[in-house]
């Protein structure tokens, strides 16, 4: 149905192929992903499917995201204070009428119980299970659907969209290398180590000509921030796909550190 | 490490091989492909190095062939190994027996352990 799935890079190992050769492989925990939104050309200007992967706590989720996923919104601090003030005033008035405060509370018991369900963790869990709310997910990403496929919100995507022998493109964020010199960043060769050189070993050398043009050209390769970029590795062979264990094994390496979020898409023939 | 990685590796481990140690004299029956035929080649020598863990475990066997020292490294769990015979054990005081490379003839013998 979908052409893509989100996953977590678990790590690399090697296994033996049919001919007995050792194959380097990357193990990915792929899915399960849930379809959270459908974008249509009519409403959004383009066709896409939004899917969510992983989980996070409600308290770490923004209210816009909770609303988007169909959760009841937690009370704001201001709302809590206002409700508290209303209850306090009710007690005060009851006391002035000569009744005990406890009885006034008892009349509010029903309303109280409702908020109780909202307030306790177990109550919130029950409320969530009963509702059609999704997630909240660690990541939400948009992917394309297969031509002719009609996914619906709430559908679960698993690793079985791929099978052994398929080719996939894997997108992830590369490991950050910090501020790197030209040898590491651009593969420059550095300077001479001998013949009387000092502190030229990793230097970039000349960065341009003299009076003409009298400036350094834009795009000249120099030292700078390296890594932590979105990168896609094309055409990796799928060695194993197991939807039960959410397992996807691809041949070769993929971007990012272990534990990083990656997107696996069907390879486009070009 | 990760259970998911262990699960992927699990079915590739071989249980049918004897335990080998540094200093052992072994006969490794390796499958070799010549043209389009496959046959078994025996490589007999002393294990001078054990390295790696899990599926990556490998060992190096050294022998003297036609007066030339030859070393060959095998992946322990490789399906290209038909079988391993341990011919004899030896008393050795280190894991990596690189000192054998500089020795020839009588000096390169190891004391047998039974």
């Amino acid at each position: 149905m979908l052409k893509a799935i989100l996953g977590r890079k678990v790590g690399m190992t090697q296994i033996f192929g049919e001919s007995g050769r050792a194959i380097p492989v990357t193990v990915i925990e792929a899915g399960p992903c849930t379809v959270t939104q459908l974008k249509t050309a009519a409403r959004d200007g383009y066709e896409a499917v939004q899917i969510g992967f992983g989980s996070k706590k409600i308290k770490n989720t923004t209210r816009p995201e909770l609303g988007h996923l169909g959760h009841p919104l937690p009370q704001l601090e201001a709302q809590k204070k206002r409700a508290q003030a209303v209850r306090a005033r009710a007690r005060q008035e009851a006391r002035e009428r000569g009744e005990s405060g406890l009885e006034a509370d008892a009349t509010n018991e029903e309303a109280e119980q409702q908020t109780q369900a909202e307030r306790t963790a177990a109550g919130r869990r029950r409320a969530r299970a009963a509702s059609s709310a999704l997630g909240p997910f660690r990541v939400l990403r948009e992917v394309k659907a297969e031509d002719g496929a009609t996914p619906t919100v709430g559908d679960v995507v698993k690793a079985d969209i791929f099978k052994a022998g398929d080719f996939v493109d894997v997108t992830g964020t590369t490991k950050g290398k910090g501020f790197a010199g030209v040898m590491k960043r651009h593969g420059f060769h550095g300077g001479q180590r001998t013949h009387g050189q000092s502190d030229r070993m990793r230097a970039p050398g000349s960065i341009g000509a003299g009076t003409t043009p009298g400036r350094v050209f834009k795009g000249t390769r120099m030292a700078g921030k390296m890594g932590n970029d979105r990168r896609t590795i094309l055409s990796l062979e799928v060695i194993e796909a197991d939807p039960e264990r959410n397992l996807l094994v691809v041949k070769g390496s993929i971007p990012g550190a272990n534990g990083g979020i990656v997107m696996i898409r069907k390879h486009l023939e070009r | 490490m990760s259970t998911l990685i262990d699960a992927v590796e699990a079915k590739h481990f071989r249980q049918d091989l004897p335990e080998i140690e540094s200093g052992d004299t072994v006969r490794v029956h390796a499958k070799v492909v010549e043209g389009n035929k496959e046959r078994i080649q025996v490589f007999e020598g002393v294990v001078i190095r054990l390295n790696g863990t899990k599926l990556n475990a490998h060992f190096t066997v050294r022998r003297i062939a036609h007066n030339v020292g030859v070393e060959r490294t095998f992946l322990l769990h490789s399906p290209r190994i038909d079988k391993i015979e341990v011919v004899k054990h030896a008393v050795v005081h280190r894991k990596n027996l690189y000192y054998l490379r500089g020795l020839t003839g009588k000096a390169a013998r190891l004391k047998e352990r039974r």
Side-chain angles (χ1 to χ4, degrees):
Chain A
M1 47 179 282
L2 295 189
K3 281 178 180 173
I5 192 168
L6 301 173
R8 191 177 67 89
K9 176 174 172 180
V10 175
M12 290 194 71
T13 181
Q14 64 180 19
I15 58 169
F16 294 105
E18 253 167 46
S19 65
R21 294 183 78 96
I23 307 170
V25 294
T26 306
V27 179
I28 304 169
E29 185 190 334
C33 294
T34 312
V35 175
T36 54
Q37 192 190 4
L38 303 174
K39 301 227 168 182
T40 57
R43 197 178 63 229
D44 307 290
Y46 61 100
E47 297 275 348
V49 181
Q50 188 187 62
I51 56 176
F53 169 70
S55 65
K56 64 179 170 185
K57 291 178 180 172
I58 286 199
K59 79 176 174 75
N60 295 337
T61 311
T62 60
R63 287 167 64 87
E65 196 176 324
L66 284 177
H68 170 63
L69 295 171
H71 286 270
L73 294 179
Q75 275 192 326
L76 291 170
E77 281 303 313
Q79 288 173 331
K80 273 184 207 160
K81 271 192 192 137
R82 216 173 299 142
Q84 227 167 14
V86 167
R87 278 201 298 276
R89 209 177 308 128
R91 272 199 298 276
Q92 182 68 31
E93 282 167 10
R95 227 172 285 136
E96 278 165 14
R97 284 201 301 273
E99 301 163 16
S100 83
L102 287 170
E103 279 170 36
D105 272 358
T107 54
N108 281 341
E109 206 171 311
E110 209 168 305
E112 196 75 0
Q113 263 173 355
Q114 247 173 1
T115 53
Q116 191 74 21
E118 290 280 292
R119 227 181 300 146
T120 64
R124 274 200 299 273
R125 263 200 299 279
R126 269 197 302 278
R128 207 183 322 153
S131 76
S132 61
L134 306 166
F137 302 102
R138 184 171 158 198
V139 283
L140 294 172
R141 290 281 187 281
E142 280 180 20
V143 299
K144 289 214 171 77
E146 200 128 78
D147 296 333
T150 52
T152 53
V153 172
D155 279 1
V156 175
V157 188
K158 291 196 155 199
D160 55 5
I161 58 171
F162 301 116
K163 59 179 193 303
D166 283 355
F167 284 87
V168 292
D169 299 339
V170 180
T171 304
T173 306
T174 57
K175 284 183 184 175
K177 307 289 181 193
F179 191 99
V182 288
M183 287 181 70
K184 187 183 191 133
R185 193 171 182 220
H186 300 298
F188 285 13
H189 290 278
Q192 285 185 315
R193 298 205 271 172
T194 56
H195 296 289
Q197 306 286 329
S198 66
D199 63 14
R200 308 303 305 158
M201 269 170 73
R202 302 186 66 87
S206 170
I207 53 169
T211 317
T212 314
R215 61 191 175 89
V216 176
F217 289 124
K218 276 188 176 177
T220 301
R221 291 175 297 166
M222 294 193 197
K225 286 273 180 70
M226 181 183 174
N228 200 18
D229 301 318
R230 180 187 159 102
R231 287 280 181 273
T232 304
I233 306 292
L234 300 176
S235 192
L236 296 174
E237 189 183 348
V238 174
I239 303 294
E240 195 182 338
D242 183 356
E244 272 167 39
R245 287 180 289 172
N246 299 317
L247 174 76
L248 195 65
V249 180
V250 297
K251 183 175 173 181
S253 56
I254 66 174
N258 291 348
I261 297 291
V262 292
M263 177 157 45
I264 306 111
R265 276 176 296 190
K266 205 168 268 186
H267 178 59
L268 300 169
E269 302 290 338
R270 17 188 117 226
Chain B
M1 208 171 66
S2 161
T3 51
L4 213 51
I5 291 184
D6 288 342
V8 172
E9 289 178 345
K11 62 171 178 278
H12 294 279
F13 283 109
R14 290 181 63 167
Q15 313 291 344
D16 56 328
L17 300 170
E19 253 182 50
I20 56 173
E21 285 171 52
S22 280
D24 287 358
T25 303
V26 294
R27 289 168 65 86
V28 180
H29 296 244
K31 293 175 189 162
V32 291
V33 177
E34 279 172 353
N36 49 9
K37 260 191 266 172
E38 196 178 68
R39 68 179 185 86
I40 294 200
Q41 191 180 59
V42 181
F43 192 88
E44 179 171 351
V46 180
V47 177
I48 64 163
R49 172 180 147 106
L50 293 168
N51 197 14
T53 55
K54 294 190 169 179
L55 261 193
N56 187 36
H58 50 278
F59 61 99
T60 302
V61 180
R62 177 181 171 85
R63 66 175 290 205
I64 307 293
H66 305 292
N67 268 332
V68 180
V70 178
E71 288 179 12
R72 211 176 144 182
T73 303
F74 299 93
L75 275 166
L76 183 60
H77 295 282
S78 168
R80 314 271 324 150
I81 294 179
D82 185 52
K83 64 175 174 177
I84 301 175
E85 292 171 48
V86 179
V87 180
K88 60 186 176 187
H89 302 289
V91 179
V92 288
H93 290 171
R94 40 187 62 49
K95 196 181 84 182
N96 294 330
L97 309 179
Y98 298 145
Y99 68 88
L100 286 179
R101 288 172 176 165
L103 303 176
T104 50
K106 279 188 176 179
R109 286 174 306 173
L110 294 169
K111 198 172 174 190
E112 195 173 340
R113 171 165 62 89
R114 292 181 189 279

